[in-house]
Amino acid sequence: MKTAAALTLLVLAVTPAVHAVEPVQAKAVNDGARDVNAAARAANAQARDRNGPARRAAEARAAGLAAAPGAAAAVAPASAASAAAVPASAVSASAAAPKRVLCKGTIYLTFDTGSQSQAELIADTLSRHKIKATFFLANEKTVRGDYSLDPSWSAYWKARVAEGHAIGSHTFDHAVYAKDGADGKIVVKPGFGDSAGKQISLTSKQYCEQIQRVDQRFVELTGKHLDPIWRAPAGRTSPRLLEMGQACGYAHVGWSPAGFSGDELSSSAYPNDVLLKKSLRDLRGGDIVLIHMGIWSRKDAWAPANLEPLISGLEQKDMCFATLREHPDYLSKFKK
């Protein structure tokens, strides 16, 4: 790239002389300038070959596409060294070309069903920022008086599918793990359904049915299957429970320590502004963020005050967003 720049300066220095010499001399000078230009093009071509991956990642980001895993770190403009990785072709591009913004990292926003009081707000905010996220669904009672997997929610979930969001299972009855039971079973406490509020023992097959039942209902509502991922309600697991999910064909997804939004905590003890500052301070590229689509117990709802400034604040830090389909820990699962 230094060679190309030097050669380009040489061309600029030589060209004005063409107008001050005789025709024969001018021809010689022009021939020399063409040779210098050819050398400069060759040097630029070599630079493009060296920086091909960085260039493609930069163009993908500029086009609003999700980068491949690890690409964000490879092209992050955090230092002069990374800035030097920008291809020579980009440096010499026309001043009219749009400025390309590279990502310093990727954040994975995830939303669990809840009271659904924030469902429309979440959809509108993601759409406005052109962000794709991941949703985990259970059949939970909503502020409408229905349940989140009732036919009345069909249009909502169809729209999320059309927008390209990833969608996984949160177990049909929001069955919270309590402990490992006897004979290889697990004990759970469903939040909804016939056994709501009671502790029941489930075999591996029965727990798999809790996961798969969401997929079956989702197909009825949207005509599409879930992605092969699930999240245990309340994030409570054991090695046995995780093995059950894996045997069922689903990869479990938790969240990063910094990704705990705190939206299910008491709003008096944990005000929205405190939670927002913590998230903006602690979140780093690669983190998975947990947000609920409405929490019954929190008096001052998190999303209306925090979702927009959280996204905007992360964007100002040059963070990008993607679904868990692009997360390096789950790529192999989605390729199957």
Side-chain angles (χ1 to χ4, degrees):
M1 293 178 70
K2 291 182 179 179
T3 302
L7 291 172
T8 301
L9 291 173
L10 179 59
V11 173
L12 295 175
V14 170
T15 303
V18 175
H19 303 291
V21 296
E22 295 299 322
V24 174
Q25 293 173 310
K27 180 177 185 303
V29 172
N30 282 333
D31 288 344
R34 279 194 294 272
D35 291 341
V36 172
N37 276 329
R41 285 193 295 271
N44 280 334
Q46 291 176 351
R48 284 194 297 271
D49 290 341
R50 287 194 301 270
N51 295 298
R55 173 177 58 81
R56 287 192 293 273
E59 291 173 347
R61 292 298 188 194
L65 302 175
V75 301
S79 65
S82 59
V86 178
S89 57
V91 175
S92 60
S94 168
K99 182 179 180 181
R100 295 182 178 183
V101 179
L102 307 184
C103 295
K104 290 183 178 178
T106 301
I107 299 293
Y108 303 87
L109 298 179
T110 68
F111 297 89
D112 291 0
T113 48
S115 70
Q116 301 302 91
S117 61
Q118 309 305 314
E120 296 298 340
L121 171 69
I122 289 168
D124 291 344
T125 305
L126 295 177
S127 177
R128 185 167 59 257
H129 286 267
K130 296 180 172 57
I131 289 174
K132 292 181 175 61
T134 302
F135 292 80
F136 289 96
L137 278 53
N139 192 39
E140 303 191 52
K141 187 175 182 180
T142 83
V143 292
R144 297 180 184 178
D146 57 6
Y147 287 81
S148 53
L149 292 178
D150 279 351
S152 53
W153 284 88
S154 176
Y156 183 88
W157 297 124
K158 281 182 179 179
R160 306 294 78 77
V161 170
E163 290 165 348
H165 300 289
I167 303 179
S169 177
H170 199 35
T171 72
F172 194 84
D173 292 324
H174 199 266
V176 178
Y177 169 84
K179 61 183 179 180
D180 287 350
D183 302 322
K185 296 180 180 180
I186 50 126
V187 178
V188 299
K189 185 178 180 180
F192 306 94
D194 295 338
S195 300
K198 304 174 183 177
Q199 287 196 352
I200 59 174
S201 294
L202 299 178
T203 63
S204 179
K205 180 180 178 181
Q206 289 170 326
Y207 194 78
C208 181
E209 289 172 352
Q210 270 286 328
I211 297 175
Q212 290 182 330
R213 192 176 171 191
V214 180
D215 178 65
Q216 294 165 0
R217 178 64 64 84
F218 197 70
V219 171
E220 294 172 2
L221 297 179
T222 69
K224 301 291 183 179
H225 284 281
L226 296 177
D227 291 289
I229 51 177
W230 71 290
R231 172 174 286 162
R236 297 179 185 174
T237 66
S238 72
R240 181 183 296 180
L241 185 73
L242 295 177
E243 288 177 4
M244 289 180 174
Q246 185 175 4
C248 194
Y250 290 76
H252 184 263
V253 180
W255 54 86
S256 306
F260 179 66
S261 68
D263 65 354
E264 59 193 288
L265 301 175
S266 164
S267 57
S268 58
Y270 299 91
N272 284 326
D273 61 336
V274 172
L275 295 177
L276 177 62
K277 289 176 182 176
K278 181 181 183 301
S279 293
L280 289 175
R281 182 192 68 215
D282 295 346
L283 284 173
R284 299 290 184 271
D287 281 343
I288 298 173
V289 182
L290 166 68
I291 304 170
H292 291 85
M293 301 179 74
I295 293 292
W296 290 97
S297 60
R298 188 174 176 88
K299 294 181 179 180
D300 186 10
W302 180 92
N306 282 12
L307 184 58
E308 179 78 36
L310 175 65
I311 291 174
S312 296
L314 291 171
E315 288 176 334
Q316 290 170 13
K317 292 185 175 184
D318 296 326
M319 290 293 176
C320 294
F321 299 88
T323 73
L324 289 173
R325 294 170 186 151
E326 287 75 55
H327 193 289
D329 290 350
Y330 303 100
L331 276 175
S332 60
K333 186 66 178 177
F334 287 106
K335 287 182 179 179
K336 291 182 180 180

